[in-house]
Amino acid sequence: MAPFFVLSIAFIVYEYIQKYLALIHGREQKFKNINYLIEIFKDQASSHELLEEALEAFNTHFLHFNNVTKDSKEYQECLDFIGAFAWCPNMDIDRVVNYREEIVKANPNYKKEIETVIGSALKNREDKKGKKK
């Protein structure tokens, strides 16, 4: 009877480990989706830790625009992320400005567009903050 219980417990533990690994893998896949990252920054209830994870995922997977054209979907998604990041009220403005420099350094061909998106987002952020007061 003891071997049966040991095998049963081992099987249960194995199942929990498999579920945990599937959860982790699913979470990693989500962080490879730029639209998911954009939603994190648009959600004002996102925790600071989640925002940092999303920013790190962007750095890992999308920071360098490489050879995308300005009329491609990937380019627009990257700009949408940058705009959502800059607009996010939970991100410090100094952090946004410093990150702008990192993005421009990684993508010097798109400097004007990046600065325009961030400037516009910061202006809209300040306008919204002014209307709340």
Side-chain angles (χ1 to χ4, degrees):
M1 195 68 146
F4 175 74
F5 285 120
V6 171
L7 286 174
S8 296
I9 290 172
F11 181 73
I12 291 170
V13 169
Y14 175 77
E15 287 296 316
Y16 279 114
I17 291 171
Q18 290 298 330
K19 287 180 184 177
Y20 176 74
L21 291 175
L23 179 69
I24 295 296
H25 181 70
R27 191 172 191 327
E28 288 174 1
Q29 290 302 103
K30 282 183 181 179
F31 277 90
K32 290 180 181 178
N33 180 338
I34 195 164
N35 292 315
Y36 177 71
L37 301 178
I38 292 168
E39 290 305 315
I40 289 172
F41 279 96
K42 286 184 176 180
D43 182 7
Q44 293 184 10
S46 294
S47 69
H48 183 69
E49 292 80 21
L50 184 60
L51 294 173
E52 290 299 323
E53 279 186 83
L55 190 56
E56 184 60 36
F58 180 81
N59 288 341
T60 303
H61 304 289
F62 305 104
L63 179 62
H64 300 281
F65 295 1
N66 296 326
N67 294 325
V68 297
T69 61
K70 290 185 179 182
D71 52 341
S72 71
K73 180 181 175 187
E74 293 83 10
Y75 171 77
Q76 190 57 50
E77 289 172 337
C78 287
L79 289 183
D80 290 346
F81 174 85
I82 293 167
F85 165 76
W87 183 85
C88 181
N90 296 335
M91 293 305 294
D92 184 50
I93 291 178
D94 292 333
R95 177 81 188 274
V96 172
V97 171
N98 290 334
Y99 193 64
R100 177 191 67 199
E101 294 171 12
E102 289 180 42
I103 298 171
V104 168
K105 190 182 295 183
N107 304 289
N109 295 341
Y110 302 105
K111 178 181 180 180
K112 182 178 178 183
E113 293 83 356
I114 292 167
E115 290 178 345
T116 300
V117 167
I118 291 177
S120 176
L122 289 174
K123 183 180 182 323
N124 289 338
R125 179 173 158 174
E126 291 301 314
D127 289 348
K128 184 178 179 188
K129 191 183 288 185
K131 289 179 183 178
K132 281 187 173 181
K133 291 181 180 179

